Structure formats: structure tokens, C-alpha cells
Amino acid sequence: MAHIKRLLVFAHVVESGSMTAAARQLEMSPSAVSQQIRQLESETGVVLLHRSTRKLTLTAAGEGVYESCRDMLAAARQAEQRLLAQREAPLGELRIASTILFARAHLTRALAPMLQEFPQLGLRLIATNEPVDLISDRIDLAFRLGPAEDSSLVARNLAALRYVLCASPAYLERMGHPVVPEDLHQHQMLILTSRANPTSFPFTHEGGEQQVLELNGRIQCNESQTLGQLNEAGFGILHRFEFDVQEALTSGKLVRVLPDWHLPEVNLYAVTSSREAQPAKVRHAIEAVRRYLAQYQGSAVRVFG
């Protein structure tokens, strides 16, 4: 590797015509440039340059070496340009992991403007409710609810998402409207079993009163979209993200249950594997999701940053 650096210094000297000019380009001192050339000649046993008080000229061996170094320098400059392009504009393939529901309901819509603006950008979306290994699966960016358990990962808090309890009008007509959280014991709860403590529901009243209820339901499932379909079909009460059901609540397809009581918010994180500066494709994707969530800013979503 030391030889490669010295060969690149040698190529700069030949192109610029002097040690001093090469030093300016490389942000080195002329003496440091001269030392690099002398070490290269000493270690290889090949004299590359004839030095005089007026100019530098290539030896026959130096001419042959420079031809190869010129190609190497051009490749290095091309690689540098590609790195800068990656930093300034989204290029290549962007690999994103997300839960199935968030990918289907929101992520594709959030990323659509970016994909239209940058047609040279490719997207590979891994929609799964199973944990993914960002490093071994070569994931550029993951969207997760709750912070990353792996402390080596970098989690950026994008937004706080609010839960609401909701039910279909047909269910409430049949079973009645709960008035206080304890009334839920007399209702059919739809339970999402993929959460760490799926039956614990901490409620906070607008007046400040707090209650924690342990609730079970006749129907349990580890997939939120299936429960959403059962919820809308009148099979029970389900806690859902408010921004997921705003249209259904506005149209009357669903009705808010216990509107004066609130469930805790859950944070949505953008997770990457590195603390280093992220390429443009990752930065643009995070910003695209943040802008998308901003349209729900208010009671349903609190966007950060």
C-alpha cells in the first residue's frame, strides 16, 4: 500500500512538472513529496527521475512506470468522482427493511417522489416482520418501531406515533360503547401478539388519571393487517396507529373508542449500521419519510427534526 501511495505521488510530480506544483495539489510540503519519490526509488532500486536545478526529466524506466501510474491515477480520480456523486445525489441501489404494514401502507408512498426525481436510483425493499441483520443482509436503512436493540446501530428518532382504540359502527351497535377503560373487559379485544407485552394497555385520561389494564381477546394474531381487516369487519376493538386509520375514522368506517383516554406513543426510528456520513440515497430516503409523516403532524404524529 505504501508503494501505491508513492506511485501516485510520482504520477502527480510528472503531470505537474515539479515537486512544488505536485506538493500544492497533494497538500503536502515539497520536501515530503521529494522524500516519497526517493523512498520509492530506494526501495525498488529503480531511478525514475533525472533531477537538475532547472527541471525534472523522466528516465527510460520512469517513462514506463509513469504509463502505468497514469492509468492508476485516472482510475483513482474516477473513483473519487463516484464517491462525490454518491454523496451529492442518490445513485445505485438502496436497500431498505421495514415492517410489512408500514411498507405497504406508507413507505412506498413516502419514497415515490424521490424515485420519480432520481430515475437512476434503484430500490430493494425488504418488507418483513422478522428481525433483519443490517450488516449481513447489506441493509442501507431500516425503519423500526422502538429503538434498535443492538447498541452498535445508529437509530434516528423520526416521529412519535399515536395509538387509538377503534371499532366498526356495527360492532358498537351490537355491543355498546365503552365509557371507561374497565368496560373493555366486557368487549371483544383483538390482540396483536407480536409485541413484548401484548395484553398490557396503559391508559392516560385527558385529566391526568392513569390506569393499566390486562386485556385478552378471543382473537389473537401476530400480523397487524389481518387484525385490521377483522376490526373493520366488526369482530372487535383494536388499538391501531391513528395515522393508519384517519381515512376510516373520517369516513365513519371506524369509530374512535374511549376518545378521552390515550395510549402511549411509539417512536419510529430510521436505523443505519454506521455512524459515518451517510450516502445521499440514505439521507434522501430519511428526509422523504420525514416529509411524508409531516402531513399527519398533530394529534396522530409528532415529527422530530
Side-chain angles (χ1 to χ4, degrees):
M1 294 301 294
H3 278 173
I4 292 175
K5 177 182 177 181
R6 289 166 189 152
L7 286 167
L8 288 173
V9 171
F10 166 69
H12 273 93
V13 170
V14 176
E15 282 196 352
S16 62
S18 72
M19 300 279 187
T20 301
R24 285 196 298 269
Q25 294 176 4
L26 296 169
E27 298 182 348
M28 299 170 63
S29 67
S31 61
V33 171
S34 178
Q35 184 181 22
Q36 289 289 316
I37 301 301
R38 290 186 182 281
Q39 286 181 332
L40 180 61
E41 291 177 326
S42 174
E43 291 168 359
T44 59
V46 177
V47 178
L48 301 172
L49 295 169
H50 291 304
R51 299 164 177 82
S52 70
T53 56
R54 293 186 177 182
K55 64 178 182 178
L56 297 173
T57 57
L58 284 167
T59 65
E63 289 180 359
V65 172
Y66 173 64
E67 288 182 6
S68 298
C69 287
R70 183 175 52 197
D71 295 338
M72 183 171 64
L73 183 58
R77 285 171 173 163
Q78 185 180 40
E80 183 180 25
Q81 290 173 353
R82 288 180 176 175
L83 282 173
L84 291 174
Q86 287 281 356
R87 183 175 180 180
E88 298 302 327
L91 298 171
E93 181 183 73
L94 175 62
R95 296 172 65 92
I96 295 181
S98 167
T99 63
I100 295 173
L101 180 62
F102 187 69
R104 181 179 295 156
H106 301 288
L107 190 54
T108 51
R109 286 190 283 174
L111 297 178
M114 182 181 72
L115 293 172
Q116 291 171 352
E117 182 179 358
F118 302 104
Q120 70 274 34
L121 177 67
L123 174 66
R124 181 171 299 225
L125 180 56
I126 297 91
T128 176
N129 293 329
E130 299 299 321
V132 294
D133 186 321
L134 270 65
I135 296 175
S136 64
D137 293 334
R138 297 188 297 112
I139 302 298
D140 297 305
L141 175 64
F143 291 98
R144 292 179 175 172
L145 294 174
E149 296 179 0
D150 187 342
S151 60
S152 67
L153 301 176
V154 181
R156 298 168 178 83
N157 195 353
L158 293 184
L161 311 180
R162 182 179 176 182
Y163 277 121
V164 293
L165 287 176
C166 49
S168 70
Y171 173 86
L172 294 172
E173 183 178 351
R174 185 173 73 252
M175 301 295 295
H177 289 255
V179 178
V180 294
E182 291 90 339
D183 293 343
L184 295 175
H185 289 297
Q186 312 304 319
H187 283 263
Q188 296 293 327
M189 298 297 298
L190 301 174
I191 302 297
L192 181 60
T193 57
S194 62
R195 306 201 181 280
N197 190 13
T199 60
S200 179
F201 289 78
F203 290 92
T204 301
H205 190 265
E206 289 181 348
E209 180 185 352
Q210 295 183 342
Q211 294 185 24
V212 178
L213 297 182
E214 295 293 327
L215 298 171
N216 282 295
R218 181 168 63 95
I219 298 176
Q220 302 186 12
C221 183
N222 68 341
E223 204 282 304
S224 55
Q225 186 180 24
T226 300
L227 286 177
Q229 293 171 347
L230 292 168
N231 180 225
E232 293 166 12
F235 283 91
I237 298 173
L238 178 63
H239 68 298
R240 304 175 70 174
F241 287 120
E242 185 175 351
F243 82 132
D244 277 338
V245 294
Q246 275 191 341
E247 292 183 7
L249 291 172
T250 300
S251 67
K253 187 176 182 179
L254 290 173
V255 176
R256 174 86 180 271
V257 174
L258 296 176
D260 296 333
W261 293 83
H262 304 298
L263 291 165
E265 296 174 330
V266 175
N267 288 332
L268 175 68
Y269 289 86
V271 183
T272 57
S273 61
S274 172
R275 297 185 182 276
E276 302 300 325
Q278 296 299 320
K281 60 184 179 180
V282 173
R283 299 198 314 271
H284 277 257
I286 293 174
E287 186 55 33
V289 172
R290 184 180 281 114
R291 284 198 301 268
Y292 173 82
L293 293 172
Q295 69 181 304
Y296 298 100
Q297 181 82 292
S299 63
V301 175
R302 291 190 298 117
V303 180
F304 305 122

